[in-house]
Amino acid sequence: MPKAKYVLALDQGTTGTHVSILDSKLQVVGRSYKEFTQHFPKPSWVEHDLDEIWATSEWCIARALKDAGLNGRDISAVGITNQRETTGLWMRGTGKPLAKAIVWQDRRTSEMCRRLKEQGVEPRVREVTGLVVDPYFSGTKLTWFFEHLKGARARAEKGDVCFGTIDTWLVYKLTGGSAHVTDVSNASRTLLMDLTTLQWSDDMRSLLNVPAGCLPQIRGSAEVYGTTRGMRSLPDGVPVAGMAGDQQAALFGQACFEPGESKCTYGTGAFLLMNTGSTPVRSNAGLLTTVAWRLGGTGTTTYALEGSSFIAGAAVQWMRDGLKVIKKAPDIEALAASVMDSGDVVFVPALAGMGAPHWRPEARGLFAGMDRSTTVAHLARAVLEGIALQIHDLADAMRRDSGRDIPVFKADGGAAANNLLMQYQADILGVPVVRPRNLETTSLGAAFLGGLGAGVWDSTDAIRRAWKADKTFKPKMKADARERHLAKWKRAVERA
């Protein structure tokens, strides 16, 4: 009888690490989760400790194996998905980080981005990378490191320093320092990769003054990058065979394999992606053109249009940790449902600036429309509505850019469990919102990419069979009411 095959998905998010173990039928047999420390050294600065991320990852791998009743020898492949754009530097030989990683939410390079825009470089940046000049992306964070870490540039020019987003860091650690790689989906978020050639751009390196010697090799999203070495819970020799940025992995995990198929992930931020096929679609509405995945080292590349709202679930965390009006994040649904509506309160979730289609890094969070009758329940409902209203703006821009309607809207991520949020999202979009049974589609995508890369599966048919809907939220709001909500939202955004 052949030995059962299991794939381990390492999902390293912004606030914590998930590990899931899936069998060959894509059923989750073990899982674990652990949060790690968020560092806020200055206003608008956000940092993570790379060593803590790795320690958390090792802990979660061991715990997930225990939960599944398996040991490391049962794992056939490892797939990785990660918070994108978060930027780290470490010594190539020792793996010692040079500093804490700069998180994608961090806005310290806003002034640098403003100067670059004044130089008139943004059209060229968009042409080469599909991105806009914004602190969100890795490139200016990397420039900041080289301008502020003494000796870092000289060591990088000698090839002694590794730059990486979190996927690169995890592969480096999983393989005992033998692999310094990234995949096309993560590389496409750095401001440094040419969207057409899928190689590092000399123009962009020159613009941002980045030494070539620190850059990882760009690989496909489902191939063997190396094998595990020197780990506590996994034996040497397990293939690390798949990786994609979290949003691309979720698009894959939602089985959005055909052009036009779309999903939105409600995590720390909210991210709407549409599969645009083998040709990149350039945006006229402030969206990003990005790589979705490339299967195998030389396979066909799939592109996507993306709109990002920097703050989604993070707004609920802020209500919990900052304002302390709820004890647990899920409590916001009952609090918000205790009132019939938001009482004309509008919340703009610009706690880390505004992403697409507005791209206003200077914007700040705003409650508008409060009066003496406003309660914390109205604020809670307005926070959930503000998350959905951001997504409306993204979906509207995506329709214009792609020339396609979005007939069905697939939703995933932790906040997609919130029924009130999902119903309001359907109402404000005017289209059905479908929630899958497995909300952890990011991990599902990572596992499937890893299994494809290691030969556990030989096609995408298995993931189509595994995807099943949990609930469909049909729009109930009348058109005139929808327009009133959108008009209030537009006025609030202008003031943020």
Side-chain angles (χ1 to χ4, degrees):
M1 184 174 179
K3 181 182 176 183
K5 293 185 177 181
Y6 298 93
V7 177
L8 186 148
L10 176 51
D11 179 356
Q12 206 293 298
T14 305
T15 57
T17 301
H18 293 261
V19 168
S20 300
I21 298 174
L22 295 90
D23 64 18
S24 58
K25 295 181 180 179
L26 288 171
Q27 300 301 305
V28 177
V29 299
R31 54 163 55 97
S32 62
Y33 175 73
K34 189 174 182 64
E35 291 192 355
F36 53 82
T37 309
Q38 308 293 306
H39 299 273
F40 306 99
K42 294 183 180 180
S44 80
W45 289 30
V46 191
E47 297 178 345
H48 289 162
D49 185 317
L50 288 173
D51 284 333
E52 184 183 6
I53 284 176
W54 176 241
T56 302
S57 300
E58 283 206 297
W59 184 92
C60 286
I61 290 169
R63 186 58 61 94
L65 286 167
K66 183 177 181 181
D67 185 51
L70 300 172
N71 63 51
R73 293 186 298 278
D74 296 314
I75 302 300
S76 299
V78 176
I80 295 169
T81 185
N82 56 286
Q83 52 163 315
R84 304 170 303 172
E85 297 96 17
T86 295
T87 302
L89 285 179
W90 59 91
M91 295 303 296
R92 188 176 299 276
T94 65
K96 181 180 179 181
L98 273 65
K100 289 186 175 66
I102 303 177
V103 178
W104 58 271
Q105 297 165 315
D106 188 286
R107 312 303 288 173
R108 74 184 66 182
T109 64
S110 292
E111 178 61 23
M112 185 190 306
C113 291
R114 185 189 65 78
R115 292 195 303 269
L116 287 168
K117 288 180 179 180
E118 287 178 349
Q119 294 169 20
V121 302
E122 189 157 56
R124 177 60 176 160
V125 170
R126 289 206 67 130
E127 178 188 359
V128 174
T129 70
L131 309 178
V132 297
V133 177
D134 190 86
Y136 179 28
F137 304 107
S138 308
T140 59
K141 304 180 196 300
L142 186 53
T143 302
W144 189 94
F145 270 143
F146 287 132
E147 290 178 351
H148 291 84
L149 296 180
K150 186 176 180 181
R153 180 179 299 281
R155 283 180 283 180
E157 288 171 346
K158 294 178 182 177
D160 294 337
V161 168
C162 293
F163 152 68
T165 43
I166 297 299
D167 58 306
T168 303
W169 171 245
L170 292 175
V171 175
Y172 178 91
K173 296 296 286 186
L174 284 163
T175 63
S178 65
H180 182 214
V181 300
T182 188
D183 90 298
V184 287
S185 72
N186 279 291
S188 74
R189 313 295 298 185
T190 60
L191 282 175
L192 292 165
M193 191 191 83
D194 187 305
L195 201 61
T196 303
T197 67
L198 307 182
Q199 299 298 320
W200 300 119
S201 163
D202 289 340
D203 280 359
M204 295 300 105
R205 279 201 314 101
S206 176
L207 176 68
L208 297 174
N209 200 15
V210 171
C214 70
L215 298 176
Q217 182 186 10
I218 300 174
R219 304 279 291 273
S221 307
E223 59 177 289
V224 177
Y225 314 111
T227 58
T228 54
R229 190 171 73 187
M231 292 189 62
R232 296 172 190 162
S233 300
L234 294 176
D236 289 357
V238 178
V240 182
M243 107 183 124
D246 51 10
Q247 302 316 315
Q248 290 96 328
L251 188 70
F252 201 82
Q254 284 274 38
C256 294
F257 301 138
E258 298 299 324
E261 293 185 332
S262 307
K263 70 89 206 173
C264 186
T265 297
Y266 299 80
T268 302
F271 302 86
L272 176 59
L273 273 76
M274 174 188 283
N275 181 328
T276 62
S278 59
T279 304
V281 174
R282 305 291 177 172
S283 174
N284 295 312
L287 300 178
L288 307 176
T289 306
T290 195
V291 175
W293 53 75
R294 186 179 74 207
L295 300 183
T298 58
T300 300
T301 301
T302 297
Y303 292 89
L305 274 175
E306 175 174 329
S308 309
S309 297
F310 300 146
I311 298 292
V316 178
Q317 292 170 337
W318 171 67
M319 293 285 282
R320 179 193 68 188
D321 302 333
L323 300 188
K324 300 187 185 303
V325 299
I326 52 175
K327 290 185 178 180
K328 303 186 300 295
D331 294 345
I332 195 170
E333 183 172 3
L335 179 59
S338 69
V339 290
M340 292 296 295
D341 54 45
S342 62
D344 282 336
V345 178
V346 180
F347 176 64
V348 182
L351 303 178
M354 297 191 76
H358 307 285
W359 291 113
R360 289 175 49 203
E362 77 286 353
R364 290 294 176 263
L366 174 74
F367 280 108
M370 293 182 289
D371 60 26
R372 288 286 299 274
S373 68
T374 300
T375 68
V376 291
H378 294 111
L379 299 183
R381 194 170 185 115
V383 165
L384 295 180
E385 291 180 354
I387 293 168
L389 285 159
Q390 291 181 117
I391 301 306
H392 168 274
D393 289 358
L394 296 177
D396 190 51
M398 201 162 281
R399 289 188 191 106
R400 296 196 305 272
D401 273 338
S402 67
R404 300 174 184 268
D405 286 330
I406 301 176
V408 177
F409 192 89
K410 290 184 176 180
D412 58 71
N418 188 308
N419 290 328
L420 192 154
L421 172 60
M422 292 295 97
Q423 184 59 55
Y424 186 80
Q425 188 71 83
D427 287 341
I428 208 66
L429 287 172
V431 300
V433 171
V434 180
R435 183 172 65 196
R437 289 184 189 175
N438 184 353
L439 288 179
E440 296 177 12
T441 55
T442 306
S443 293
L444 185 64
F448 199 71
L449 287 167
L452 278 176
V456 176
W457 300 287
D458 58 8
S459 76
T460 56
D461 292 341
I463 202 166
R464 281 198 184 279
R465 292 192 297 269
W467 190 94
K468 292 180 174 62
D470 166 51
K471 185 172 182 179
T472 298
F473 298 84
K474 296 181 179 179
K476 299 176 180 178
M477 187 181 290
K478 293 182 179 179
D480 58 344
R482 185 182 304 121
E483 291 306 315
R484 286 197 299 273
H485 281 248
L486 292 172
K488 287 189 298 182
W489 164 253
K490 183 178 180 181
R491 290 194 296 270
V493 167
E494 290 171 350
R495 295 165 59 187

